[in-house]
Amino acid sequence: MDERGAPAKKVMRELREASEDDLHFRDGRIFGSMCTDPLPIARRAHAMFLEANLGNPGYYKGTWRLERETLRILSKLLHGRNLGGFTVSGATEGNITALWMARNTTRRKEVVAAKTAHFSVRKAVDLLGMRLVEVPHDDMYRADVDAIGRKVGKDTAAVVAVAGTTELGQVDPIDEIGELCRDRAFLHVDAAFGGFVLPFLDHPDTPPWDFRVAGVSSLVLDAHKMGMATIPASHLLVREASHFRKIAVESPYLTSVYQTSLLGTRNSAGVAAAYAAMRALGRSGYRQIVARCMRNTRTIVRRAREAGIEPVVEPIMNVVAFRVHDVESTQRALDAKGWKVSTSRNPRALRVVVMPHITAKSALAFAHDLVAVSQKG
Ligand code: 0PR
């Protein structure tokens, strides 16, 4: 650190230069991220609550109220009643907290999850000294229910099921998994991506995946993905609020007697941003956003198919992976044209996430280039 501070103008110039080197959602070129341009009102809300700290809720009664209200809105959306929960920094923290609670409540150590679960589950299991029992998926890349049934036993603390897998946007058969877990193990649903998509699909043909399923103990969904909020904003909801006691730690010098969150000082700007997005959009607003993402996804799939490029599975959500000859070289060729896509590992494919910052025009232009670069290869 320099002895003397730099003039604000100079610092601002440095910041602008750094920001110019970043990619921006507004340019409509990013198909490789599950985040998006936050709603303008969410940005404003974020800026208003920068100094609040929900780690010390007694000082921030207004922010605390926003958090409670946000959880109430989500409980209703996800068909829960009197759910416990709080805002977390992301599904990684949500998954860690849920498994921490499951471990301490059951005093067991095994976590059963399909290969298709997000890598944050591995982090959680490692941190918590638990054991991951990995099960296969079916040919649609959904967790294999029979395999889960064979693995759930006296050592199982929790099963993790996914509503919107990272690579393909698939939904595990959560209703059937719920039947298996009832009174036997915790069932934690990772709806990081699907939580803000599935409730708003026009023709949902996925079986129940939220608190309608009696076996579901907890669920995480990210407002900083399809929730249109700022980063970091995610929500952990728990059917039995009393389970939080199992991870409570006394916080003597704070305004709350106990803390049940992994984090101490807690981001509150994301809480306000999530609240603002949900209040401003309402169900109809999210429905419109999801419908547009799905239209653009279908456009890309249709164009690709016309050129003989098939999706790995028919997409349920705005995540789709394409079978192309050479995944890396296709990704590189698209990159050279300014398109940022990612790849999936299981199976190897070109992964495309069609977020709200993608317009109909950029979806079409992307599909055109995808076809062009694939035909060259
Ligand atoms: N669960 C699922 C199903 C996820 O897809 C993700 C993240 C997580 C948990 C972890 O969420 P947090 O990262 O919020 O803690 N999925 C994306 C991924 O890892 C996240 C992402 C977002 C990646 C934006 C890149 C990016 O630009 O691929």
Side-chain angles (χ1 to χ4, degrees), residues 34 163-171 193 198 313 315-320 351:
M34 291 185 135
T165 57
T166 312
E167 298 205 310
L168 298 171
Q170 287 294 78
V171 182
F193 191 77
L198 291 169
V313 290
I316 301 172
M317 300 187 203
N318 42 333
V319 182
V320 54
R351 172 175 172 267

Side-chain angles (χ1 to χ4, degrees), residues 146-172:
D146 293 335
I148 293 177
R150 285 193 294 276
K151 296 293 183 188
V152 172
K154 62 177 184 17
D155 297 324
T156 313
V159 175
V160 178
V162 189
T165 57
T166 312
E167 298 205 310
L168 298 171
Q170 287 294 78
V171 182
D172 290 338

Side-chain angles (χ1 to χ4, degrees), residues 330-357:
T330 309
Q331 186 184 25
R332 267 199 310 277
L334 284 169
D335 196 82
K337 288 180 178 288
W339 302 111
K340 299 293 173 190
V341 296
S342 82
T343 60
S344 66
R345 283 214 323 211
N346 179 33
R348 280 306 284 162
L350 196 78
R351 172 175 172 267
V352 177
V353 190
V354 191
M355 293 300 288
H357 57 266

